[in-house]
Amino acid sequence: MESIECTRDCPNTSKINEDLVKDDFTPSKLGTKEYWDDAYQRELQTFKDIGDVGEIWFGEESMDRVLRWMEKEEIPEDAAILDIGTGNGVLLVELAKSGYTNLTGIDYSAASVKLARSVLQTEDFSNVEVKEVDFLSCSGELSDFDVCIDKGTFDAISLNPENTEEGKACYIQSLRGALKEEGLFVITSCNWTKEQLLQMFSQGFDFVKELPTPRFQFGGKTGNSVTAIIFKRLH
C-alpha cells in the first residue's frame, strides 16, 4: 500500500478566518479519522463477506449529477481527475465506466484505500490509482489536476472537533496546490449553502455555476437538501 506522509505549513488562519463564514455546527465524530477508520474497516469486511460496497455518500444521484455536468462540459477523457476523500471508490468506478482514464483517488483512512482498491479490482479497474493521503498535510505530492471532486470531505473537516478553522484553511490551500491554473473544483455539500461556499472559496477561486439539486419546503421557506458548486482556480 502506498502511503504518503508529508507536512504543510498552513496559512495564518487568523487573517483567513475573518473572511470565512461563521458556523454553528456542533463538533461531531463524523469529523474524526477514528470514525472513518472504523466505518471503512467494517465496510471492507462486509465487502469481503458479501460483496456490498457500502454507503454511497449523498446517494447515486450525487454521482450522476457530476457525471452529467462533465459530459455536458466535454471534460476530456484523459483529463487528470482527483477524487478527494474517495471512500469506497464507487465514484472512481463510475468515472472509469464513463471513459475517464486518468483517475486518482485519495483518502486518509487506510481501510478506505483497501476497500476502494478491492472495489476497483472487482470492476476490472485495478489500473486506477488510489493513495493513502491526508489532504490537509500534503505539500507538492498532489498537483496538476484538471478536475478535483469533493463529495462530503469538506463537510467532514468542518465537523472536526479540533482545529476546525485551521483545517478548512489548509484544505483551501491544498486544493489550490492540487489544481492546475483554471482547473475545476466540484464540491457537493449538505452542510453549507451556496452563499457560504462562495464566501469560503472566494480567495483564489471563481464561481462557475451551481448544479441543480433537490429542493424542499419547510415553514414557508424553500431550500436545498444538498448544494453542488463548480469553482475555477485562479492565478
Side-chain angles (χ1 to χ4, degrees):
M1 173 183 296
E2 180 178 0
S3 176
I4 295 176
E5 294 183 2
C6 42
T7 59
R8 175 168 214 145
D9 292 328
C10 291
N12 185 333
T13 57
S14 60
K15 173 66 173 67
I16 291 179
N17 289 344
E18 292 174 3
D19 300 322
L20 291 181
V21 176
K22 299 300 181 182
D23 63 71
D24 56 358
F25 297 147
T26 301
S28 167
K29 62 183 181 180
L30 289 170
T32 66
K33 185 176 185 296
E34 291 75 17
Y35 173 85
W36 294 109
D37 281 338
D38 290 343
Y40 285 119
Q41 190 60 54
R42 291 193 302 272
E43 291 194 3
L44 176 61
Q45 189 59 52
T46 300
F47 182 73
K48 289 178 179 178
D49 292 342
I50 63 174
D52 186 344
V53 300
E55 182 178 0
I56 299 175
W57 205 242
F58 299 144
E60 292 185 9
E61 172 58 24
S62 64
M63 295 190 299
D64 294 341
R65 183 183 304 115
V66 173
L67 290 167
R68 287 194 300 269
W69 167 77
M70 293 177 70
E71 181 180 2
K72 184 177 179 181
E73 294 300 315
E74 299 182 345
I75 302 297
E77 290 185 350
D78 63 351
I81 300 172
L82 177 65
D83 183 16
I84 303 171
T86 195
N88 55 19
V90 173
L91 177 58
L92 292 172
V93 170
E94 294 306 313
L95 287 164
K97 285 181 178 179
S98 297
Y100 294 100
T101 59
N102 190 1
L103 303 172
T104 302
I106 61 168
D107 206 292
Y108 68 176
S109 169
S112 158
V113 171
K114 290 180 181 178
L115 175 59
R117 287 176 176 168
S118 297
V119 171
L120 286 159
Q121 184 173 12
T122 300
E123 297 285 346
D124 293 326
F125 294 125
S126 55
N127 59 315
V128 174
E129 190 170 22
V130 184
K131 302 178 181 180
E132 183 184 343
V133 177
D134 182 352
F135 191 60
L136 300 189
S137 61
C138 195
S139 175
E141 296 291 340
L142 299 169
S143 60
D144 294 326
F145 285 95
D146 298 293
V147 181
C148 289
I149 303 173
D150 180 319
K151 197 160 60 66
T153 298
F154 189 71
D155 281 1
I157 290 168
S158 303
L159 294 171
N160 193 318
E162 299 180 359
N163 301 321
T164 304
E165 297 302 325
E166 180 183 358
K168 288 187 285 188
C170 286
Y171 181 100
I172 293 169
Q173 179 169 311
S174 295
L175 180 63
R176 282 184 52 81
L179 275 171
K180 291 180 179 177
E181 233 177 68
E182 298 192 350
L184 298 169
F185 173 50
V186 189
I187 181 169
T188 302
S189 171
C190 65
N191 285 349
W192 302 104
T193 65
K194 172 185 176 181
E195 290 73 21
Q196 290 172 319
L197 289 171
L198 289 177
Q199 187 171 347
M200 284 186 287
F201 289 91
S202 62
Q203 297 182 20
F205 297 90
D206 196 16
F207 170 71
V208 175
K209 71 180 301 182
E210 180 180 14
L211 301 182
T213 59
R215 298 179 67 80
F216 66 89
Q217 285 188 328
F218 182 78
K221 295 185 178 181
T222 301
N224 295 76
S225 54
V226 296
T227 303
I229 301 289
I230 313 295
F231 290 97
K232 179 184 291 187
R233 182 193 183 278
L234 302 176
H235 297 288

